Amino acid sequence: MADYIAGVLVILGALFALIASLGVLRLPDVLIRMHASTKVGTLACGLIMAGVILHFWQLTVTIKAAAVIVFILLTAPIGAHMIGRAALRTGVPLWSPKKSDPDR
C-alpha cells in the first residue's frame, strides 16, 4: 500500500513540476515567473521526496530526502528574493496589463 501512495506522490510532484515549467514559459514577467517556479517547484520537490521516503523507508534514505526538503524550503525563497531584487535593481522591464491585452 505504501508503494501506491509513494507512486501517487511522485506523479503529483511530476505534475506540479510540469505546471511550474509551463508557468515559467507562459507568464509575462520575471517576477511572476519567479513566483511560479519557486512556489510550485518547491511543492513538486517536496512531494517527490515524500514519495522517495515512503518507497525506500530506510533511515539513511529518509534522512537524506528530509535534508533535501529542508534545503529546498530554505534556499528557494531566498534565491527567488535575490533574483527579484536583482531584476528590479537592473531595470528589467516589468509587465503592465493593457485594456487591449487579449490575455486579460
Side-chain angles (χ1 to χ4, degrees), residues 30-31 33-35 37-38 75-90 92:
V30 67
L31 297 177
R33 287 180 188 152
M34 174 191 62
H35 179 76
S37 66
T38 303
T75 58
I78 295 169
H81 174 76
M82 298 309 289
I83 291 170
R85 187 173 174 182
L88 287 177
R89 284 191 174 186
T90 58
V92 172

Side-chain angles (χ1 to χ4, degrees), residues 16-64:
F16 279 115
L18 177 67
I19 291 169
S21 66
L22 291 175
V24 169
L25 289 175
R26 291 280 304 162
L27 294 173
D29 185 348
V30 67
L31 297 177
I32 301 170
R33 287 180 188 152
M34 174 191 62
H35 179 76
S37 66
T38 303
K39 304 296 182 202
V40 183
T42 303
L43 177 64
C45 180
L47 287 172
I48 291 171
M49 288 296 114
V52 166
I53 289 171
L54 278 178
H55 178 71
F56 290 106
W57 202 249
Q58 295 173 357
L59 183 63
T60 56
V61 174
T62 301
I63 290 172
K64 290 176 185 177

